[in-house]
Amino acid sequence: QQQVKQSPQSLIVQKGGISIINCAYENTAFDYFPWYQQFPGKGPALLIAIRPDVSEKKEGRFTISFNKSAKQFSLHIMDSQPGDSATYFCAASKGGFQKLVFGTGTRLLVSP
Amino acid sequence: DVKVTQSSRYLVKRTGEKVFLECVQDMDHENMFWYRQDPGLGLRLIYFSYDVKMKEKGDIPEGYSVSREKKERFSLILESASTNQTSMYLCASRKTDTQYFGPGTRLTVL
């Protein structure tokens, strides 16, 4: 049972374009939604995260949009750069111990 | 900087062997995790530990066990390796909301 569904599986964007990755969740008890970025040969690293009390969070070129009623959240990468080429994972957890449930990942390639 | 290290980057074992994967964190974190990463399946939680000698099953614990004798070290054990355990194994430790991952061990079981 996939509690967090992520799409697309892969994405190619031209340099300077906007990359958009979407996630949908089922469990309304989830209250923490992070995005992790993974470069080849490295472990994932936290990129940005949001809680459901806000609809948007922006950090530099990276923005999370959150739609509580639709149970969806998305990552937007503005002015995408070749250095953003990586695999991105959305995740969700509910309170307390922070056991994360991960999406299946999106491989992003930003072409020069 | 938080550092999570894993004992091997690449490991090749034979079916039926007992396999130990070691993870060490240097930030005195209480919580540690073991995941496996497979293409198209994302990261799946095998086991986690919220304190020394404490462990709980994750979503896919079958065929695995863990050991946490010291706070900084969390070991994943494959009692009798099978080919379907060929995967990338990631260890993480947690501080507040953030999980910090090691670089992973790519295990191949022949």
Side-chain angles (χ1 to χ4, degrees), chain B residues 10-64:
Chain B
Y10 300 94
L11 209 53
V12 180
K13 296 292 183 181
R14 296 210 173 270
T15 301
E17 280 192 79
K18 191 169 186 176
V19 181
F20 293 87
L21 302 182
E22 304 286 336
C23 176
V24 177
Q25 51 97 1
D26 66 355
M27 284 302 291
D28 202 36
H29 292 170
E30 291 184 348
N31 308 147
M32 297 187 73
F33 306 80
W34 274 106
Y35 295 89
R36 64 177 282 176
Q37 180 178 4
D38 299 289
L41 296 178
L43 278 70
R44 293 180 292 166
L45 182 63
I46 304 171
Y47 266 97
F48 59 101
S49 168
Y50 48 88
D51 206 345
V52 177
K53 296 190 186 294
M54 309 296 279
K55 59 186 180 184
E56 286 206 18
K57 294 180 180 179
D59 299 318
I60 52 165
E62 297 77 20
Y64 303 94

Side-chain angles (χ1 to χ4, degrees), chain A residues 1-5 25 27 30 32-34 73 89-94 98-104, chain B residues 35 43-45 59 99:
Chain A
Q1 181 185 3
Q2 188 68 39
Q3 294 192 57
V4 178
K5 294 184 179 179
Y25 63 96
N27 190 338
F30 287 148
Y32 176 69
F33 302 90
F73 59 109
F89 294 96
C90 63
S93 69
K94 51 182 176 180
Q98 294 281 338
K99 178 181 154 182
L100 286 172
V101 177
F102 283 87
T104 51
Chain B
Y35 295 89
L43 278 70
R44 293 180 292 166
L45 182 63
D59 299 318
Q99 290 194 18

Side-chain angles (χ1 to χ4, degrees), chain B residues 86-100:
Chain B
T86 291
S87 186
M88 171 69 80
Y89 289 88
L90 290 163
C91 174
S93 69
R94 181 182 82 93
K95 179 181 180 180
T96 59
D97 289 336
T98 304
Q99 290 194 18
Y100 298 88

